[in-house]
Amino acid sequence: MWLMGTSSLPDDIDVFMNVIGQNVKASGGFVFEEKQLIKTEMEYERGRWLQVSPSALRDKCAAIGLSDAEATLVVGWLGNVHEGKHLRPDKARRDHRYQWPTP
């Protein structure tokens, strides 16, 4: 259950996904590190992600250059967050956290 009914992302999530897009472009693909960063942030910053609609996230994934299969993977993780399931990010990367801007 997400709180937003529109197809736009909250500003903080939009910025985060732009960073992911920059990382994907720099590394030449959606590599393990970016996947784990998304999973880590979804797991430990659930409150931010509960307000994200799957369609808005899918649109953003396409906008930053992820393939349909990659977008489906990310949106699937979001679905798990919405359902209260744990994502189990890689143990070695749990401490690598995104620095969310302070309001």
Side-chain angles (χ1 to χ4, degrees):
M1 293 186 290
W2 56 91
L3 302 176
M4 290 187 66
T6 67
S7 62
S8 62
L9 291 175
D11 290 341
D12 56 349
I13 300 295
D14 190 58
V15 169
F16 172 77
M17 291 305 294
N18 285 337
V19 169
I20 295 296
Q22 291 167 356
N23 292 348
V24 167
K25 186 176 278 187
S27 65
F30 190 44
V31 297
F32 183 77
E33 286 77 15
E34 281 85 29
K35 292 174 185 175
Q36 292 305 308
L37 181 55
I38 293 171
K39 285 175 72 173
T40 298
E41 294 309 317
M42 284 184 174
E43 179 69 21
Y44 297 112
E45 295 287 340
R46 287 179 174 268
R48 294 180 190 275
W49 294 92
L50 288 173
Q51 59 186 324
V52 175
S53 75
S55 62
L57 185 58
R58 181 175 295 281
D59 291 345
K60 186 63 177 187
C61 287
I64 64 170
L66 298 185
S67 70
D68 288 340
E70 292 164 340
T72 298
L73 181 66
V74 173
V75 171
W77 295 332
L78 180 65
N80 286 344
V81 169
H82 286 178
E83 293 172 10
K85 296 178 182 175
H86 292 284
L87 298 177
R88 297 181 186 15
D90 183 67
K91 290 178 185 176
R93 287 169 176 76
R94 287 182 186 166
D95 292 334
H96 181 95
R97 302 290 298 278
Y98 176 70
Q99 296 301 309
W100 293 95
T102 53

